[in-house]
Amino acid sequence: MRPTQTARRVLPALLATMLLAGGVLAGQTVTAEPAAAAMTCNVSKLKADARKERDRAAKLKRLGATAEAKKALANAAALEKRAKQCADADKGSRPPFGK
């Protein structure tokens, strides 16, 4: 093949690839949202749920259901841990630029 024929095939394909890649990247930067804005937690509700689970665990333990009480205590600990993580994230995050 002659060099002009290969250039006629390669250049349009290269140009189309560059345009598609540039369009995809530009579209992603415009539509991308901050990750912090997508996730919100209600710390007081998480703490209240943990308190309810601890009360439920105490009641189960009094009734003799120790296995279920352990599960309820583990669930309460997980809820408290999540509440602490949310509170720490709210404390350490900055507002969006311009606000």
Side-chain angles (χ1 to χ4, degrees), residues 32-46:
E33 294 182 16
M39 185 76 177
T40 58
C41 339
N42 189 347
V43 177
S44 59
K45 184 179 182 317
L46 286 170

Side-chain angles (χ1 to χ4, degrees), residues 43-78:
V43 177
S44 59
K45 184 179 182 317
L46 286 170
K47 287 183 179 181
D49 290 345
R51 200 173 315 116
K52 285 179 187 176
E53 281 293 316
R54 287 211 184 273
D55 293 342
R56 189 172 146 262
K59 183 178 178 182
L60 287 170
K61 190 173 181 182
R62 280 192 307 266
L63 294 174
T66 56
E68 290 85 3
K70 284 182 182 180
K71 287 180 185 179
L73 281 174
N75 193 13

Side-chain angles (χ1 to χ4, degrees):
M1 260 201 242
R2 287 187 250 156
T4 56
Q5 286 181 341
T6 55
R8 283 184 188 169
R9 290 182 185 170
V10 171
L11 288 178
L14 183 63
L15 180 64
T17 303
M18 288 185 342
L19 288 174
L20 284 174
V24 168
L25 292 176
Q28 285 180 351
T29 56
V30 171
T31 60
E33 294 182 16
M39 185 76 177
T40 58
C41 339
N42 189 347
V43 177
S44 59
K45 184 179 182 317
L46 286 170
K47 287 183 179 181
D49 290 345
R51 200 173 315 116
K52 285 179 187 176
E53 281 293 316
R54 287 211 184 273
D55 293 342
R56 189 172 146 262
K59 183 178 178 182
L60 287 170
K61 190 173 181 182
R62 280 192 307 266
L63 294 174
T66 56
E68 290 85 3
K70 284 182 182 180
K71 287 180 185 179
L73 281 174
N75 193 13
L79 287 169
E80 286 177 351
K81 183 178 178 181
R82 182 70 185 137
K84 185 178 181 322
Q85 287 174 346
C86 287
D88 290 344
D90 288 343
K91 231 186 332 184
S93 65
R94 295 181 184 170
F97 181 72
K99 289 191 178 184

